[in-house]
PDB file of all heavy atoms in Angstrom:
ATOM      1  N   ASN A  43      36.298  39.113 178.070  1.00 77.00           N
ATOM      2  CA  ASN A  43      36.720  40.136 177.118  1.00 77.00           C
ATOM      3  C   ASN A  43      37.924  40.960 177.562  1.00 77.00           C
ATOM      4  O   ASN A  43      38.292  41.913 176.874  1.00 77.00           O
ATOM      5  CB  ASN A  43      35.552  41.071 176.812  1.00 77.00           C
ATOM      6  CG  ASN A  43      34.455  40.381 176.028  1.00 77.00           C
ATOM      7  OD1 ASN A  43      34.559  40.192 174.823  1.00 77.00           O
ATOM      8  ND2 ASN A  43      33.392  39.975 176.718  1.00 77.00           N
ATOM      9  N   VAL A  88      46.832  36.976 179.399  1.00 85.00           N
ATOM     10  CA  VAL A  88      45.588  37.258 180.123  1.00 85.00           C
ATOM     11  C   VAL A  88      44.491  36.291 179.706  1.00 85.00           C
ATOM     12  O   VAL A  88      43.743  35.768 180.541  1.00 85.00           O
ATOM     13  CB  VAL A  88      45.150  38.721 179.875  1.00 85.00           C
ATOM     14  CG1 VAL A  88      43.738  38.961 180.403  1.00 85.00           C
ATOM     15  CG2 VAL A  88      46.124  39.680 180.545  1.00 85.00           C
ATOM     16  N   ARG A 140      53.684  36.134 157.452  1.00 90.00           N
ATOM     17  CA  ARG A 140      54.080  35.629 158.774  1.00 90.00           C
ATOM     18  C   ARG A 140      52.855  35.297 159.636  1.00 90.00           C
ATOM     19  O   ARG A 140      52.803  34.269 160.308  1.00 90.00           O
ATOM     20  CB  ARG A 140      54.953  36.674 159.472  1.00 90.00           C
ATOM     21  CG  ARG A 140      55.288  36.413 160.923  1.00 90.00           C
ATOM     22  CD  ARG A 140      56.109  35.142 161.092  1.00 90.00           C
ATOM     23  NE  ARG A 140      56.339  34.851 162.482  1.00 90.00           N
ATOM     24  CZ  ARG A 140      55.439  34.358 163.327  1.00 90.00           C
ATOM     25  NH1 ARG A 140      54.212  34.131 162.912  1.00 90.00           N
ATOM     26  NH2 ARG A 140      55.747  34.097 164.577  1.00 90.00           N
TER      27      ARG A 140
END
Side-chain angles (χ1 to χ4, degrees):
N43 292 282
V88 170
R140 171 63 184 75

